Each structure stands twice: as C-alpha cells, then as structure tokens.
Amino acid sequence: MMKFNLAEYLEELRPLINVDCGTYTLEGIECVASQFEQKFQAMTGWYVKRVDCAKAGVGLEIRNKPDTEQIDIMLVGHLDTVFAKGTAAQRPMSYDNEKAYGPGVADMKSGLLNIVYALRHLEPDLIDKCSICVCMNPDEEVGSADSVAWLQSVAKHAKHALVVEAARADGGLVKARKGRACYQLNFHGVAAHAGNEPQNGRSAITELAHWIVAINGMTNFDSGTTLNVGVVSGGTNSNTVAEYADAAVEVRFWSNEEYQQVDAALKRMQANPFIDGVSVALEREVYKPAMMPSERTESLMKLVETLAQELEIDIKWHSAGGGSDANHMAILGIPTIDGLGAIGGHFHSDKEYLLLESIEPRIRLLMRILQQLAA
C-alpha cells in the first residue's frame, strides 16, 4: 500500500528539474540518468543496463527479469527536454498550492518519477509473476533518431506498452498520435549571368519553386496529411542564375499508408527534376509513424477506463497532432497507451506546469494497470 506524501515527492522531483538536460546536453542527460539508475539500484530485484545512444548520450533499460526474452509490460519515458542551457538556473522548480513549475516538470520528469513510485509500491510477489521493462531514452524531443532502433528491439518482445507522458490539461489520455517526417532538400543547378547569358543557366530556385507548388498540392486536409515547406534559401545575388537552393519540409499524417504514397511521390520527383540540368538531393532526417489504436489497443483502453472508474478518475481519450515514442511502439502492432502521467500543460514553454492534485491519483492508476496486466 502506497502512503503518498506530496512534499516528499516534490523534493525528489526537484533535482530532476534543476538540471539542464535538453537533447544532446550530454552532461545533463547523464545527471538525470544517474539519478534514476540510483533509484532503481536502491530497489530490490531491479537490474539497470546503460545503453549507448550515440550522440544523444545514455539511455537506461531497467528490468526485473533481464534473462527473460518475453516482456509482459514495457514502460517508456524520455530523459531529455527541449530547453537550452541556462534555463534551469533562470527558472528552477517552484510550486504553489495548485501547480509545480519548471523546465520539463510535466514533459516528462514527473512521468519518469511516477514510474519509480508505482514500481516501488507494487507487491513484490506481483512483480515476480511478470516481466517488466522500463526504457528511458535521451532524444525523444528530436524524434528518437539515435534510440529508436534500441526501443523497437525491446518493444518487439513486449505484450503491452505504456508511455508515461503527461496527461492532457483536461486529464485526457492519448489513444492516437499523428506521424511526422522531415526532409531536407538540396537543389544543384548551373550558375550563369542573369543579363548576358541567362539561357545557359539552370536555376535551382526555379526547380525549388516547382517543388513547393507540387508539395502543397499533396496536402489532404480531409485525411489529415499535411505538407509544409517551412524553410527555404538559395542564390547569391539577383544578377546570377541560382546554382544552389535548399528547403526543409515537414509531413504530418494519420495514415501510414498515405504517408508512404507521399514519400514515394517525393522520390519520383527527385529522380525526375522539373528542369533539365538540375539535380536534387532528398534526405529524410526525421521519421515517426502514426499511432492508431488497433483492436487490441481498444481492449487495453477499456481496461484503463474500468480501472479509472474504480479510482473515481474521469478518463477522456485524445488524438494528438504531436508524436511521442508511443508511435514507435504502436507501429509494431503492440497495444499502446500514452499520456499515463500526471496532468500538465503549456509543454515546451516557460509556462509549463504540473497539476499537483493529479500526481497521486495518476500513480495509483498506473499501479492498478500494472497489477491487472501482471495478473
């Protein structure tokens, strides 16, 4: 039985907030990872493995049965935030009677701490009946490019995935998330004097313009597949036919199949430029598939609803435009629920908050879910 003390929880949360750990801030990621490593090492029966996530730093893989291939429950959260160095010193963790504030307080240091609290207070014999794995990665805020292979190598052995990102401001959990892909486009044409011999030039900017029109035409607001040319550059001066141009493009989508059609269309355009003599380089820098609930996920949702009712917690379900690591779990066909942390809001801003009254109920809900899935 958990005896929850809010003041003690907040003091344990404070050192997780008061450290700069934006993605690729390796010393901060190491600091937060070390804190969680120590918390699990202090608990009987848990084994911590450090995972090298290349330039993103260290990730943690924590198991109660490290030699068992099958995983009954996978818990997922991220160590990084979106905030720059110096932010923690400028606005360290604070709280009033209703909310706690600070960089990453809801997204998602409290979620990681909630995992610790839930596992600390589960009955030892219940934990012994099942295989649980906790993965904490260091680069979710930039798409998990350096950790996704590791996460999915673990997830493919899991029966259920629970992502403990913060609940929405109205307490809602997340059943679906849009997918996202980001491309960098580089156009290489032929420079020429724009006055004396423009016919000898091949404008990279003109090629880019054709691409912008074509990309905008792929947007389908009805299905939710949207493309945005967000950054462009090119040329050197107005009297030179542009030899180079660049663009950054983002795609958001609910349908993984529709995204594959977009990706194929971009590759066809790359192979067949609009202007002879211009070459195009197309690089996909970020990819996160859409998370859509399967029948098995819907069964898990019904279980969560039942357990929430027992705890007198009102549950709503949301479809979110932004992605998380839940997307990478769901694409493997694993029943996946997201938003199981405490309630928060204004993520990625200096107004980010965590609703204090929601912390204990959401820990208890997570515990009940773990108990039911373990049984």
Side-chain angles (χ1 to χ4, degrees):
M1 178 66 67
M2 180 178 69
K3 294 182 179 179
F4 183 76
N5 184 298
L6 179 59
E8 292 178 359
Y9 177 96
L10 292 174
E11 286 312 302
E12 192 167 357
L13 181 63
R14 187 184 301 277
L16 299 170
I17 305 301
N18 293 349
V19 56
D20 291 319
C21 53
T23 317
Y24 307 129
T25 306
L26 299 189
E27 61 274 20
I29 295 292
E30 170 62 34
C31 177
V32 176
S34 295
Q35 290 185 58
F36 281 106
E37 183 176 25
Q38 292 167 13
K39 294 180 193 302
F40 278 98
Q41 287 175 340
M43 297 159 58
T44 303
W46 292 96
Y47 303 86
V48 181
K49 181 174 76 172
R50 286 175 158 255
V51 179
D52 181 5
C53 296
K55 67 179 182 295
V58 65
L60 297 180
E61 184 177 317
I62 304 136
R63 298 194 186 215
N64 65 329
K65 296 184 177 181
D67 298 325
T68 301
E69 183 178 45
Q70 182 70 53
I71 298 166
D72 295 303
I73 308 165
M74 182 177 181
L75 293 154
V76 182
H78 61 88
L79 300 162
D80 59 326
T81 72
V82 299
F83 300 103
K85 287 185 178 181
T87 305
Q90 292 172 2
R91 48 184 187 90
M93 194 186 99
S94 63
Y95 59 90
D96 53 30
N97 290 333
E98 295 182 357
K99 300 173 181 176
Y101 309 89
V105 67
D107 185 17
M108 62 168 295
K109 296 303 184 297
S110 61
L112 296 177
L113 187 57
N114 283 10
I115 293 174
V116 173
Y117 264 68
L119 294 177
R120 273 179 185 164
H121 295 96
L122 279 184
E123 300 87 344
D125 61 334
L126 190 70
I127 292 178
D128 192 54
K129 290 179 181 177
C130 67
S131 173
I132 300 173
C133 178
V134 181
C135 287
M136 300 182 180
N137 64 324
D139 60 340
E140 188 274 344
E141 294 292 6
V142 295
S144 305
D146 289 296
S147 63
V148 64
W150 157 52
L151 291 177
Q152 291 190 323
S153 72
V154 176
K156 68 183 182 181
H157 300 292
K159 293 181 180 178
H160 308 89
L162 306 176
V163 180
V164 196
E165 293 271 11
R168 306 295 93 174
D170 65 355
L173 277 62
V174 179
K175 66 176 181 178
R177 287 184 178 273
K178 265 194 170 184
R180 177 176 182 244
C182 295
Y183 295 86
Q184 180 63 38
L185 303 174
N186 301 108
F187 303 89
H188 188 183
V190 178
H193 192 289
N196 291 333
E197 48 182 16
Q199 70 278 9
N200 293 333
R202 298 292 182 269
S203 173
I205 289 178
T206 302
E207 178 69 22
L208 169 57
H210 284 293
W211 275 69
I212 292 173
V213 173
I215 285 171
N216 288 344
M218 295 182 200
T219 286
N220 185 336
F221 290 116
D222 292 334
S223 66
T225 297
T226 59
L227 291 83
N228 180 56
V229 183
V231 181
V232 297
S233 64
T236 54
N237 51 63
S238 62
N239 67 352
T240 302
V241 175
E243 186 175 4
Y244 298 104
D246 304 289
V249 178
E250 183 192 68
V251 188
R252 298 267 183 167
F253 50 94
W254 290 117
S255 167
N256 291 309
E257 292 76 16
E258 198 162 305
Y259 163 68
Q260 293 300 329
Q261 295 171 9
V262 169
D263 183 69
L266 293 175
K267 291 175 179 176
R268 286 194 299 270
M269 288 165 59
Q270 178 193 16
N272 300 280
F274 291 90
I275 299 174
D276 290 339
V278 177
S279 61
V280 183
L282 173 71
E283 180 183 1
R284 188 176 72 180
E285 297 181 326
V286 173
Y287 171 62
K288 188 168 285 186
M291 169 193 175
M292 298 299 289
S294 65
E295 288 186 10
R296 294 171 62 205
T297 299
E298 289 173 353
S299 295
L300 180 57
M301 290 165 59
K302 290 178 181 177
L303 172 64
V304 172
E305 289 172 0
T306 299
L307 298 175
Q309 289 173 1
E310 293 175 1
L311 295 170
E312 297 183 346
I313 297 174
D314 182 30
I315 290 294
K316 303 178 181 68
W317 294 102
H318 287 267
S319 297
S324 81
D325 285 320
N327 299 54
H328 295 307
M329 311 296 109
I331 195 66
L332 299 177
I334 301 161
T336 304
I337 298 291
D338 197 356
L340 285 164
I343 296 172
H346 297 312
F347 311 128
H348 296 191
S349 79
D350 59 2
K351 297 180 177 62
E352 181 178 358
Y353 70 85
L354 177 70
L355 191 64
L356 299 182
E357 67 179 10
S358 73
I359 297 171
E360 181 182 359
R362 295 302 167 127
I363 294 173
R364 293 192 183 279
L365 176 59
L366 182 59
M367 289 176 64
R368 290 289 291 123
I369 296 168
L370 292 172
Q371 288 166 348
Q372 288 297 309
L373 294 180

